[in-house]
Amino acid sequence: MEIVDHERHMRRAIELARVNALEDGYGGPFGCVIAKGNTVIAEGVNEVLARHDPTCHGEIMAIRAACEHLGTHLLTGCTVYTSGEPCPMCYAACWWARVDAIYYAATVADAKTYGNFDDVPIFEALALPGDERPLPSRQLLRMEMIPVWEAFRDLPSRLHY
């Protein structure tokens, strides 16, 4: 059985974060490595500022690169190493990608203390019913969407993901 060098992967994620924030200036100090065992599959950094896109977090960029590299939307067998505890979006993306585990260096509290990145209100809002969230979500035209779902459900060649 292979002994995985988790610390090596994490050190690389931290180095990516350092270069990204302190040298390149693409975004905050967030770097991510996705590996299968000791083999690095993909890397990503926070590119929010460089791309003018709030979804370009390090984990998201690494997931996109890993999926493209492997030719699949499933990252089962892979582990995420990220310089910061994942925000709700990145945690959910890791979940949907079906990674085996997430390792992180700094906490959400560290990101707030040192960079004024505050994910706590998002975590709290997600625990509320949709119509009670600070950014409300309301259902509209459900009965117009149901026939689309029914047709999708009944597709004989539909792939489940």
Side-chain angles (χ1 to χ4, degrees):
M1 181 174 202
E2 179 181 34
I3 297 173
V4 178
D5 191 348
H6 299 293
E7 291 181 1
R8 179 174 62 90
H9 294 318
M10 184 59 74
R11 284 190 180 100
R12 177 63 183 153
I14 292 168
E15 177 62 9
L16 289 167
R18 187 193 68 73
V19 169
N20 187 62
L22 304 180
E23 295 177 20
D24 296 339
Y26 292 155
F30 302 102
C32 182
V33 170
I34 297 178
K36 273 192 171 190
N38 285 310
T39 303
V40 173
I41 302 300
E43 297 177 342
V45 296
N46 182 292
E47 297 185 37
V48 168
L49 298 177
R51 293 182 182 252
H52 311 289
D53 182 342
T55 68
C56 289
H57 290 197
E59 297 93 335
I60 300 298
M61 303 305 287
I63 288 169
R64 289 173 181 165
C67 289
E68 185 173 336
H69 175 76
L70 295 174
T72 180
H73 63 283
L74 297 175
L75 298 179
T76 305
C78 293
T79 300
V80 169
Y81 300 87
T82 180
S83 62
E85 185 175 3
C87 72
M89 174 183 69
C90 293
Y91 180 84
C94 290
W95 183 292
W96 283 115
R98 305 296 194 261
V99 302
D100 289 1
I102 301 168
Y103 289 82
Y104 61 90
T107 65
V108 168
D110 294 330
K112 171 68 173 159
T113 298
Y114 299 107
N116 204 30
F117 291 93
D118 195 1
D119 295 347
V120 172
I122 301 170
F123 282 107
E124 292 172 347
L126 288 172
L128 299 172
D131 60 353
E132 293 179 25
R133 296 176 184 160
L135 177 60
S137 57
R138 296 179 180 93
Q139 192 172 36
L140 182 66
L141 299 178
R142 177 178 180 265
M143 293 315 296
E144 291 184 27
M145 183 59 201
I146 294 302
V148 177
W149 273 114
E150 290 171 338
F152 178 76
R153 176 196 62 206
D154 296 338
L155 281 174
S157 61
R158 179 173 74 96
L159 297 176
H160 182 74
Y161 63 93

